[in-house]
Amino acid sequence: MSNRAIQECARGMSAKCIVMHLTGNKSDGSYPHDGGDFGRCEALLDRFPELRVRMWEMATVNKYWAALAPRWEEIRAAKDQYKTIQSIVRPIQDADPKVSRLGGGISISFN
């Protein structure tokens, strides 16, 4: 399948990030924030298993992906993917001066 065809199948920013990075294009660094985001990534990886075996490469995108990529299968198996993802990314967000917490579990990132 062509890179373009794969790109057209990606739904959601984090899934698009996977496609862009693993096809050798510049990505925006978006990563899954919750189970919905993760599910869109998984749908992509189910459709294109050749990308799944390369998920370790996502660790080079940014510090968030560096934390998420090696724990992908753990997130996949989790009953509560949101909690698992948050337990991984929250410490990174807390140390990131570009991230501001708005309350109620909402945060915003200023690039």
Side-chain angles (χ1 to χ4, degrees):
M1 173 135 325
S2 73
N3 288 351
R4 182 166 173 83
I6 294 171
Q7 289 173 8
E8 289 173 358
C9 291
R11 299 285 181 257
M13 296 302 293
S14 51
K16 288 178 182 176
C17 180
I18 292 170
V19 170
M20 296 304 286
H21 186 71
L22 296 183
T23 59
N25 296 292
K26 180 143 177 67
S27 70
D28 68 357
S30 294
Y31 59 92
H33 289 75
D34 57 35
D37 290 341
F38 187 83
R40 287 184 285 279
C41 293
E42 275 297 297
L44 172 75
L45 298 173
D46 285 344
R47 181 143 187 212
F48 301 101
E50 64 271 25
L51 297 180
R52 183 181 297 284
V53 298
R54 297 179 54 213
M55 278 301 290
W56 63 270
E57 294 176 44
M58 292 304 294
T60 65
V61 173
N62 59 32
K63 56 192 166 193
Y64 295 98
W65 276 110
L68 290 165
R71 296 180 67 185
W72 198 260
E73 291 303 313
E74 175 188 345
I75 300 165
R76 191 174 180 204
K79 288 186 180 188
D80 189 335
Q81 292 173 332
Y82 174 79
K83 279 187 178 180
T84 305
I85 291 167
Q86 288 303 303
S87 74
I88 296 167
V89 301
R90 192 159 205 146
I92 301 166
Q93 290 174 333
D94 289 344
D96 190 340
K98 295 179 185 175
V99 174
S100 212
R101 295 233 179 269
L102 303 177
I106 299 170
S107 63
I108 188 165
S109 179
F110 298 95
N111 292 323

